[in-house]
Amino acid sequence: MALVICRRLPGSFCGTPPRPALIKHHINKKLPGQTCEDCVLTAKTISTDTRMAATLRLLKSLGYRAFCNPFACSTTQSVAYWNVGSYTWHRGQDTSEHNSLCHPAEKAENICSTSCSRRILTTNSALPGVEFSRAFASKASMLNPGSPRAMKVDEENIEVFDSFEDPRIFLQLRPEYQLHSYNRSEPCHPLSVSEGDLILHKVTVYRDNLQPQIIVDYFCKLSSMPSEQHPVLLSSASFAMLCQLSVKNIQLFDVPDLINILKAFVSLGIPHSHSMLDVYETRFCHKVWEMSLDQLLLVADLWRYLGHRVPRFFKIFFSYLNLHWKDLSLSQLIHLIYIIGENRQVPQDLMQKLESLILKYIDFINLEEAGAICLGFFKSSSGLSEFIMRKIGDLACADMQHLSSYALVNILKMFRFTHVDHVSFMKRFGQIAPQRIPSLGVQGVMHLTLACSALHILDEGVMNAVAASLPPRVAYCRSKDVAKILWSFGTLNYKPPNAEEFYSSLINEIHRKMPEFHRYPEHLLTCLLGLAFSEYFPIELINFALSPGFVRLAQERSKFELTKELYTLDGTVGIECPDYRGNRLSSHLQQEGFEKLWNLARKDMSSKPEFLEALFLLETMLGGPQYIKHHMILPHTRSSDLEVQLDVNMKPLPFNREATSTEDAAKLKLKHVGVSLTDDLMNQLLKGKSGGPFQGEIESETGQQPMEFEKKTAIPSEGSLYNVTDRLEAVEMVGLCPPDCVQAPQVKLAIQLTNKNQYCYGSRDLLGLHNMKRRQLNRIGYRVVELSHWEWLPLLKRTRFEKLAFLHEKVFTSAL
């Protein structure tokens, strides 16, 4: 089937395939009141629709080129200000960005192609978090129907996502939604070009005598003109004059009039940045308390279509809802949650009230509505209770084969956000996802993969399907998609069967998307950390990421604080890439990264009773705090360890300098087990002034007890105290033993008290960061001793003797 790109005519179905997910996954499912022909427009349907055939001929004859009305060029300055046709960019598109991309001389030629591609191309500010390639959309808008390139687009349409229409699928499933939502395809009487010209002529002639109701009627009629005439209409001085008259008479319009004018603005594609819309927002703010819930939802829906942000309107609207939220019907509630999600910001107390309404209606919602609820709460950064998430998961599990992929992704987003582990849902998802992934756009694939990663659920079937489907279409990935997919595979510590093809294709795509990574530096660091978890180290990219210029860019341009990410990458390269001679972080940033991570780790571990008890018992077993040290052996790995050092006889060494004060150490008597202190060793230790020996006897014994200090009543002289103190500060290992006596540690242990969040769900497979840490500890000569949560936590209820026996076996058996 050839792809046809055109604007929807009033009362007809557009030939553009705006909902690939719906087409792909609902081809055999008829929603209430919907036929298969409503989802897929066949070539036969196109040929039998006379109006559509005429439109296609017109587009072909014009070559996607529209002609500006020369009459508009001679307007006065005041009318030019109201000339809507001067704003030709898309909803939500930044004006400065548009001007930098399009030469003024090209704007007139691209008006029609811009309109035709409106439903394919959506810009970042119109829907944050859903970014598309302008280059691809631009190409699609300029394709000639029937050309080989146009035929190729049909193969690529799974990557096309309509950010305005796809989230609104649920609005088709209940007739009640028609009362408070806008439907582009609602039938209306088409207006011919000649009739439109007559109306514009009347505006010019009777402009000072037009009644408010006539102005509303003219807007409604002009909005039903053929869509290819809209650019010409918006550029006309008469239409600009009509807009000016509407603002002048805005106080005389009642609520239905205002809504009808807003509908006309949507149909005509009034630019979101036109100042006239601010005037209408102010008027609607004054009318909020006079409107019904249906009217308020409809107005909010129309503002969404226009892409014009109306924070003042929503502030008053939400105040209204705080008083009337109990009056919301099921359809009003779902639609409101959708609108809140698109608005992104909402008072959390209102969301809590809406959550209580969801509980009321939870047994009556359908699958697509469940997806809409999850998306609205996710986009507004509002959480749902575990009970509601489990109810939604149960609903999806019961009929997941009929759940659209779009709704499935949205539900997974909310499970990711709330960290609810619905085992049955994830098992059913693991059965469905591998078959759907090849026909899912890369953005959807990214969200599925990221959800698995965030929930720590490793399903090899899902991950293999992702890895197999991605290399052929990696060019459609945004920098964000590449970053999140690499991070997910690295976090789950999983390498698919086609690992080399998979990773090489993504690394090559990173190189191709370097301009995009300049805009989003956090994505490059996410890519490199995900690769490092999987033991891939692209040196050229690492050298660039650690360069002073990129580090400065990451600090200045990113909305995230990236010092910790830079520090983790730098520390990893230092250990795992010994031959690396490229850029490294400055000592200042290294110190800053260390302090941030150590403060977080120390606070985290100090708040865990199971860790504090393990530390206390280890100190008791080993002989004191000087034999064990709580610190970050590898600070860049973001977690702390308990370090123990053993000598050649597998006896603990008192290496923790911080555990014993210098003054106390000088007053203590050394009792070293297994090592004889000769006169030569004592002379070295007490080297300094003669005549000031310790008043007491220094003994040496052999036994099985660890080194210990005993206080003596005798006090050393000032000179000998000075010399002992000086010597203690010079030796590397703490304790009153001289260098010739204390050997370097034979074994260095890194004792780690783990928790379930360091492993894949339901398994004993470490996640990527923690697996990387152990790999690096082994490289620098440490043996890892794991006090696993499944062993240690049950022991907390047992006797002290059993705990000490367990720790003794762990420490000294691991050292052998």
Side-chain angles (χ1 to χ4, degrees), residues 659-676:
T660 307
S661 68
T662 305
E663 184 177 353
D664 287 343
K667 298 178 182 178
L668 297 181
K669 172 187 171 184
L670 178 65
K671 187 175 182 180
H672 191 180
V673 178
V675 178
S676 299

Side-chain angles (χ1 to χ4, degrees), residues 556-567:
E556 295 174 354
R557 189 171 292 185
S558 176
K559 61 181 179 180
F560 303 101
E561 210 292 311
L562 300 176
T563 303
K564 298 191 293 293
E565 284 69 26
L566 289 165
Y567 183 55

Side-chain angles (χ1 to χ4, degrees), residues 170-468:
F170 71 93
L171 294 174
Q172 304 172 11
L173 306 183
R174 294 182 192 271
E176 299 95 315
Y177 286 116
Q178 298 177 12
L179 300 175
H180 46 77
S181 65
Y182 175 72
N183 184 4
R184 276 184 176 275
S185 59
E186 59 186 9
C188 62
H189 179 69
L191 188 74
S192 66
V193 176
S194 59
E195 290 174 315
D197 289 341
L198 179 60
I199 290 175
L200 293 177
H201 177 70
K202 290 180 179 178
V203 170
T204 305
V205 174
Y206 302 109
R207 57 183 177 183
D208 295 328
N209 298 313
L210 289 178
Q211 297 299 313
Q213 196 57 47
I214 299 298
I215 294 175
V216 175
D217 185 57
Y218 282 175
F219 271 117
C220 294
K221 289 181 177 179
L222 290 173
S223 67
S224 62
M225 288 182 67
S227 58
E228 65 270 16
Q229 293 296 320
H230 289 175
V232 177
L233 173 64
L234 298 183
S235 300
S236 73
S238 298
F239 185 78
M241 189 178 298
L242 181 63
C243 293
Q244 194 174 16
L245 290 171
S246 75
V247 170
K248 182 179 179 181
N249 292 275
I250 197 169
Q251 300 290 337
L252 303 178
F253 298 142
D254 57 20
V255 170
D257 291 338
L258 291 168
I259 292 176
N260 286 331
I261 292 176
L262 209 56
K263 282 184 177 181
F265 288 169
V266 172
S267 297
L268 292 169
I270 299 294
H272 75 94
S273 55
H274 200 287
S275 59
M276 171 180 62
L277 298 180
D278 292 329
V279 180
Y280 275 88
E281 179 193 1
T282 301
R283 188 58 184 160
F284 274 110
C285 288
H286 293 154
K287 291 288 186 178
V288 166
W289 297 96
E290 302 174 19
M291 298 165 69
S292 67
L293 280 170
D294 282 344
Q295 289 175 326
L296 286 167
L297 288 169
L298 177 57
V299 169
D301 209 32
L302 291 168
W303 284 123
R304 168 65 186 137
Y305 259 100
L306 283 167
H308 183 77
R309 298 191 67 83
V310 284
R312 292 175 296 153
F313 171 78
F314 276 113
K315 184 177 181 180
I316 302 173
F317 182 22
F318 293 150
S319 297
Y320 177 96
L321 286 170
N322 268 313
L323 297 178
H324 298 278
W325 62 276
K326 291 183 179 179
D327 300 329
L328 289 166
S329 66
L330 172 57
S331 64
Q332 289 172 338
L333 173 64
I334 306 299
H335 192 197
L336 173 63
I337 292 172
Y338 157 77
I339 289 170
I340 286 174
E342 301 306 302
N343 186 58
R344 294 302 199 276
Q345 295 179 347
V346 64
Q348 286 304 306
D349 59 334
L350 175 60
M351 295 305 286
Q352 293 172 4
K353 294 174 181 177
L354 298 184
E355 186 175 356
S356 67
L357 276 182
I358 294 174
L359 280 173
K360 175 182 175 181
Y361 294 120
I362 191 69
D363 294 325
F364 304 100
I365 65 174
N366 57 49
L367 292 172
E368 298 304 318
E369 288 172 334
I373 290 172
C374 289
L375 183 62
F377 273 76
F378 177 82
K379 284 186 174 182
S380 61
S381 301
S382 306
L384 283 169
S385 68
E386 181 177 348
F387 177 79
I388 290 181
M389 288 307 303
R390 294 200 178 280
K391 292 287 286 185
I392 290 175
D394 293 341
L395 176 67
C397 280
D399 198 21
M400 193 175 290
Q401 68 271 18
H402 292 139
L403 178 66
S404 73
S405 294
Y406 185 77
L408 177 61
V409 169
N410 293 335
I411 292 174
L412 279 169
K413 285 180 181 178
M414 203 59 198
F415 274 122
R416 182 182 103 210
F417 184 78
T418 56
H419 286 278
V420 173
D421 52 340
H422 195 299
V423 179
S424 300
F425 175 87
M426 294 308 299
K427 285 183 178 178
R428 186 72 180 118
F429 163 74
Q431 298 167 358
I432 294 289
Q435 289 76 39
R436 293 201 181 187
I437 284 172
S439 59
L440 195 62
V442 291
Q443 292 185 38
V445 172
M446 179 272 289
H447 282 296
L448 295 185
T449 312
L450 186 60
C452 292
S453 169
L455 295 171
H456 299 170
I457 293 178
L458 174 56
D459 188 308
E460 294 189 6
V462 174
M463 303 304 285
N464 290 343
V466 171

